[in-house]
């Protein structure tokens, strides 16, 4: 008996086991697209095709460090946070609680869609549990890279890693927190990942005016 004897058994048993489930798999409610090559696999193009037959398009995790580029006719759309399904009429799009949202970046995307006359009203929904990328996350990200020197990770410097650190530590700011501004202003925001002095932040702001 060879070492592949078990293949014969599986080939005989698979039809018996899975045949009753064929109808279930044929009508799956969800289609999940996962990139397995550390990004830049062309997920945006695949999603654009899949959304034609979807009712809901959900961004489940990640931040604005990468983008999905989609061409519709001669118009180019680059989306970093908003699901590309927003470009199809009638599709409901959700930014899920696993996404860390850069508020200025989100507003910039919305403005771009508005210029292209893409109506998002009533079609774009944001989880109230999604965490926000704050300006100090960007500062932490860049200072951490500088501190690593030759061992730098090579992050995009958009504060995504530190935002997830605060999410895991339960010290971050969520979209729901914006509903109570007074309570938010009284909240002590902790940054356990790095101790940033005022001078360090001032130095970084001088080099990068957009952080001011």
């Amino acid at each position: 008996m060879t070492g592949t004897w078990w293949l014969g058994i599986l080939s005989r048993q698979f039809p018996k086991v899975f045949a009753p489930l064929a109808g279930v798999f044929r009508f799956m409610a969800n289609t999940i697209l996962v990139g397995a090559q550390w990004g830049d696999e062309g997920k945006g193009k695949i999603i654009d095709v899949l959304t034609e037959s979807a009712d809901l398009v959900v961004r489940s995790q990640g931040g604005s460090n990468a983008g999905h580029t989609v061409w519709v006719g001669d118009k180019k759309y680059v989306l970093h946070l908003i699901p590309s399904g927003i470009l199809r009429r009638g599709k409901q799009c959700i930014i899920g609680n696993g996404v860390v949202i850069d508020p200025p970046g989100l507003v910039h995307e919305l403005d771009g869609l508005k210029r292209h006359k893409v109506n998002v009203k009533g079609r774009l929904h944001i989880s109230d549990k999604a965490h926000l990328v704050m300006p100090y996350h960007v500062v932490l990200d860049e200072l951490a890279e500088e501190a690593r020197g030759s061992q730098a990770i090579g992050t995009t410097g958009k504060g995504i890693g530190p935002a997830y650190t605060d999410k895991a530590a339960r010290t971050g700011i969520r979209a729901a927190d914006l509903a109570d501004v007074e309570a938010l202003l009284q909240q002590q925001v902790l940054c356990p990942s790095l101790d940033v002095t005022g001078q360090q932040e001032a130095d970084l702001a001088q080099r990068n005016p957009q952080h001011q």
Side-chain angles (χ1 to χ4, degrees):
M1 183 178 293
T2 66
T4 57
W5 59 269
W6 52 274
L7 290 175
I9 296 177
L10 287 179
S11 65
R12 292 192 297 272
Q13 294 300 322
F14 259 58
K16 297 178 184 178
V17 174
F18 290 102
L21 299 176
V24 176
F25 287 117
R26 187 177 302 134
F27 301 104
M28 286 294 288
N30 304 314
T31 300
I32 300 174
L33 179 64
V34 179
Q37 297 184 31
W38 310 105
D40 296 328
E41 308 96 340
K43 295 186 296 295
K45 298 177 177 63
I46 302 300
I47 282 291
D48 186 50
V49 174
L50 295 176
T51 52
E52 185 176 3
S53 58
D55 297 314
L56 293 175
V57 184
V58 183
R59 174 83 184 275
S60 62
Q61 55 84 37
S64 61
N65 56 324
H68 288 170
T69 302
V70 179
W71 286 87
V72 180
D74 60 349
K75 292 183 178 180
K76 178 181 179 181
Y77 299 86
V78 180
L79 300 171
H80 299 275
L81 292 166
I82 301 174
S84 58
I86 201 70
L87 302 177
R88 291 188 180 273
R89 291 183 180 179
K91 304 299 180 180
Q92 296 291 315
C93 295
I94 300 173
I95 298 178
N97 68 320
V99 179
V100 288
I101 301 173
D102 171 35
L106 178 60
V107 172
H108 179 73
E109 285 185 42
L110 290 171
D111 288 342
L113 291 172
K114 185 177 180 180
R115 286 194 300 271
H116 286 293
K117 295 181 170 50
V118 177
N119 184 16
V120 304
K121 187 176 182 180
R123 297 200 299 124
L124 179 62
H125 312 275
I126 300 174
S127 170
D128 60 356
K129 295 180 177 62
H131 278 244
L132 306 180
V133 178
M134 305 303 291
Y136 57 81
H137 288 136
V138 178
V139 175
L140 287 169
D141 201 357
E142 297 198 5
L143 287 175
E145 280 291 85
E146 288 186 6
R148 295 185 185 104
S150 61
Q151 301 298 317
I153 298 173
T155 73
T156 56
K158 293 190 175 182
I160 295 170
Y164 273 116
T165 298
D166 282 355
K167 176 181 174 71
R170 303 180 184 181
T171 59
I173 297 175
R174 302 173 302 170
D177 295 325
L178 300 180
D180 191 343
V181 178
E182 290 186 5
L184 179 60
L185 292 176
Q186 295 174 1
Q187 178 180 340
Q188 181 180 6
V189 180
L190 302 176
C191 302
S193 54
L194 269 181
D195 181 18
V196 182
T197 68
Q199 185 58 49
Q200 286 175 315
E201 186 168 356
D203 291 344
L204 185 61
Q206 185 175 7
R207 295 196 300 273
N208 299 276
Q210 67 268 29
H211 296 154
Q212 295 181 359

